[in-house]
Structure formats: structure tokens, C-alpha cells
Amino acid sequence: MSQRNSDGKRSAREALQEQRAQEQARAKRKRTLVVAGGVVGVLAVAAVIGVVVADHNDNRGDAIGSPAAAPSGATGKDSLVIPVGAADAPSTLTIYEDFRCPACDAFEKQFTPTIHALEDSGQLRTEYHLATLIDGNLGGTGSLNAANAAACAQDAGKFRAYHDVLYDNQPDEQDDKFADKNTLITLAGKVPGLKTAPFADCVNDGTHDSWVQKSNAAFGSSGFNATPTVLLNGKSIYGQDAQLTPAGLKQMVSAANRGKQPGKATATPPS
């Protein structure tokens, strides 16, 4: 083979090798771009998913941490107290109650006239804490639904009258009749001006359910374990060994208020 032919073949091989090297380099660059683009795409999708998940978590956190919808005029720690009577009354009666509780019904039927008279004369302010013990013990939602309805009545400025109607119509402890919201709305017809569309919506929507649940949880943490629990100026006066009578309650309030001015009571709609 001549030197010229040998040199030509080497030149051809070298040119072919160079071409293949260039093609491989281009292919490598292409693969790199495709992979890089895929990574960017994955990161972009991940970023979108991350925003959605973050938004979902934020919304869930807002729902969990949202404040309980307290009824109008509620007072005390976390607005868990429904007050009745003059704000500046010299004595305070604290009552923890459950609208399904038969012992609460017995207390109310015995003491309601006396309590109302003391409230209306400015001698006493009553602070109600609503609990749902019977729902927990027997099942059902009557305690919760009735307490929510009472809170709805508080929104309308008619808590005291509706509170009394619920006890006047309390079903047997085993009969969860107050779980029926239509029953609670029908009973509102016994309170002048209460059975309205806003009240019915409040009852049906369970507007104050979370507030009632928070009130019940606070009762569970209070150290008391039964309803009714009744305190006069912070001292337990009913149940266990305390043999309280309506006349005895009047005497206790009179003694506690000695030398003090009565509060400025406002007219309360009759029950």
C-alpha cells in the first residue's frame, strides 16, 4: 500500500471518529437537557402540590383553631357564662346545668320562682354554665341541641324564658326528645317573639355547638362532677350534704347582701 493511500485511510478514520465524537457529545448534551427539563418539571409540579397542601393544612388549622361562636352577651372566661339579672347585683349564683338532667329539672322546679324574684329585685345575678353530661352518659345529642337552642334564645334576649320552657317540657331522661331540633323550635313558640326564622336557623345550623362543647369541657376541668352544681358567691350550697330550700336560699342571699346596695335590675320578660 502506498504511503498516500495509508495516509488517506487514516484521515478518513480520524474524520469518522471525530464525527462520532461530535454526535456523542450532542447526544449527551441533549440527554442532559431532557433530564434537566424533567427535574425542573418535577420541581414545578412539586411546588404546585406543596402550595395546595399548605393551603389545605392552613385551612384545616383555621377550622380546628377557630373560636367558638359565643352567644350574644356571654361573659366570663372564654365567654362561657350566660348571665341573668343585674350585672352589679351584690351576689352571684353560679349554676352548672344539663337540660336533659332530671336532677337539674327538680332543682329548677323548686327554686325558679325564688331565683327570679331575687334577680328581678337586683339582689342576685345568676350565671349559667351549660353542660352535656347526659349525652355522654346515655348517648344522643339532646343536651347539646337544647343548650345550643338556649344559646340561640340568648341571642334573641330571651334566654331566661326559654330556659324555663325547656325544663317545663323536659322529657324522660331515657327519651332523647331534645335531639329533635323541630321539637326545640316548636317549644320556642311558648316564648313570645322567639320563634322566628333567625332562631330556627340558629337551632338547625348548630350555631353555638362548638361553644356548648367548650362549656362542657370547662365544666369537666372545674373539679365538679355532677349537675346541678350550685354556688353562691363561689361556695357550693346545693347537693350532697347541703339541704337547701327556697327560703334558705333567700336567707343566705339576704345575709350575704347585708349593707350592700341592690343592683340595677332591668325588666325581664316573663317565662
Side-chain angles (χ1 to χ4, degrees), residues 103-172:
C104 298
D105 181 48
F107 171 82
E108 287 295 338
K109 283 182 168 54
Q110 183 180 11
F111 287 91
T112 288
T114 299
I115 292 173
H116 286 349
L118 292 169
E119 289 168 347
D120 293 344
S121 63
Q123 299 296 318
L124 189 69
R125 168 188 174 92
T126 307
E127 296 185 342
Y128 288 94
H129 298 253
L130 306 185
T132 60
L133 295 185
I134 305 299
D135 284 359
N137 292 339
L138 299 181
T141 59
S143 299
L144 172 64
N145 291 355
N148 172 68
C152 296
Q154 170 67 12
D155 287 337
K158 298 179 183 294
F159 171 82
R160 189 172 95 166
Y162 188 65
H163 164 277
D164 294 350
V165 165
L166 289 177
Y167 280 113
D168 286 343
N169 294 272
Q170 187 191 72
D172 183 82

Side-chain angles (χ1 to χ4, degrees), residues 70-100:
S72 176
T75 61
K77 183 180 179 182
D78 296 327
S79 298
L80 296 178
V81 173
I82 294 183
V84 176
D88 58 347
S91 283
T92 300
L93 190 71
T94 302
I95 303 178
Y96 293 87
E97 287 187 326
D98 180 333
F99 287 108
R100 285 182 71 186

